Amino acid sequence: MKIDAVTIFPEYFAPLELSLIGKAQERGLLNINVHDLRAFTTDVHHAVDDTPYGGGAGMVMMPEIWGAALDLLMTPTTDLIILTPAGRRFTQRMAEEFSTSEHLVFACGRYEGIDSRVGEHYSSKNYRVHEVSIGDYVLGGGEVASLVMIEAITRLLPGVVGNPDSLVEESHAQDGFLEYPMYTKPQMWRDICVPEILLSGNHGAIAKWRADEAKRRAKKQS
Ligand code: ADE
């Protein structure tokens, strides 16, 4: 999978060198490139934003600069992801869908966001454009939201996570239930014992207990 991220803060993406995603890049499973939006500015101040038409507080990112950057990156197989708190809520299902894409481009807005015509333009040219939010809160920009999405998506790619069983077992992937509680050694820690059933060796009973616990957790969350 190829990923391009466009941002005015390329340094935000440094964590992509670490852990599973860093290793996946080294192994050639993943090709991530981060682009500085300011490289596409043409004025001496490298301005990327201007005041909103219609008035109001804050600044809006200018369409020409985004257009210059995205024209170079977009191909017919690209999924363009525009990060905005007004977008469709990111879910595990969406992560699964995006994990089958050949090429993702993340457009990280700052300030009050990117001029709406940018998404409109690429949609009208039949590109796949997705406005996505990672939750009902407002971040300083799309960079952290992109990192969240990139981690959730790329760990689903074949070979990125060492043991693929761990993906299958994840409850979000299974019927939408949250996972059951996990324990490891020692059997007793600070007077708290591991649930007896997990020591029983009865795999059927353990599976049932885990399913019940997962359901109980899911219910508590809703
Ligand atoms: N930019 C600012 N807030 C955001 C959010 N919640 N999701 C995606 N992008 C954002």
Side-chain angles (χ1 to χ4, degrees):
M1 173 184 274
K2 184 166 185 269
I3 294 178
D4 289 288
V6 187
T7 171
I8 57 168
F9 294 118
E11 299 83 358
Y12 254 103
F13 289 84
L16 296 177
E17 301 300 321
L18 306 175
S19 189
L20 291 177
I21 298 178
K23 290 209 181 77
Q25 290 195 79
E26 281 168 21
R27 283 158 49 213
L29 298 172
L30 200 56
N31 173 11
I32 305 180
N33 293 290
V34 180
H35 309 269
D36 186 349
L37 182 71
R38 289 198 201 275
F40 298 91
T41 55
T42 49
D43 69 314
V44 286
H45 301 295
H46 302 293
V48 292
D49 58 338
D50 209 331
T51 53
Y53 275 117
M59 302 290 270
V60 178
M61 293 184 113
M62 293 186 284
E64 294 99 328
I65 302 163
W66 275 104
L70 294 175
D71 281 349
L72 288 179
L73 298 174
M74 299 295 288
T75 74
T77 61
T78 301
D79 283 282
L80 172 62
I81 297 169
I82 300 177
L83 285 312
T84 159
R88 216 174 113 216
R89 176 86 68 87
F90 185 57
T91 62
Q92 186 67 22
R93 291 287 161 273
M94 279 164 84
E96 284 164 12
E97 279 166 34
F98 285 133
S99 74
T100 64
S101 177
E102 261 176 47
H103 181 213
L104 301 176
V105 172
F106 288 87
C108 303
R110 281 260 143 191
Y111 316 112
E112 301 308 310
I114 301 171
D115 188 302
S116 285
R117 288 169 293 182
V118 174
E120 197 181 317
H121 167 75
Y122 289 101
S123 292
S124 76
K125 300 287 174 199
N126 290 323
Y127 289 103
R128 290 193 295 272
V129 178
H130 315 265
E131 291 197 337
V132 183
S133 162
I134 62 160
D136 288 343
Y137 37 78
V138 181
L139 301 166
E143 287 77 8
V144 171
S146 294
L147 286 173
V148 167
M149 289 187 66
I150 291 170
E151 183 156 317
I153 293 165
T154 57
R155 63 192 292 287
L156 300 175
L157 297 176
V160 172
V161 170
N163 180 359
D165 287 349
S166 56
L167 297 181
V168 177
E169 281 181 16
E170 274 163 20
S171 54
H172 275 290
Q174 285 178 348
D175 310 325
F177 288 134
L178 294 173
E179 270 183 288
Y180 46 79
M182 300 293 262
Y183 303 88
T184 186
K185 282 146 202 109
Q187 203 170 308
M188 177 79 85
W189 179 75
R190 298 193 180 176
D191 289 339
I192 309 172
C193 194
V194 170
E196 199 67 41
I197 185 97
L198 299 178
L199 312 172
S200 68
N202 182 339
H203 297 301
I206 290 172
K208 183 178 180 309
W209 180 85
R210 283 178 165 170
D212 290 347
E213 284 296 306
K215 263 183 236 166
R216 203 170 56 82
R217 276 193 170 184
K219 212 158 149 194
K220 224 161 84 186
Q221 300 263 325
S222 57

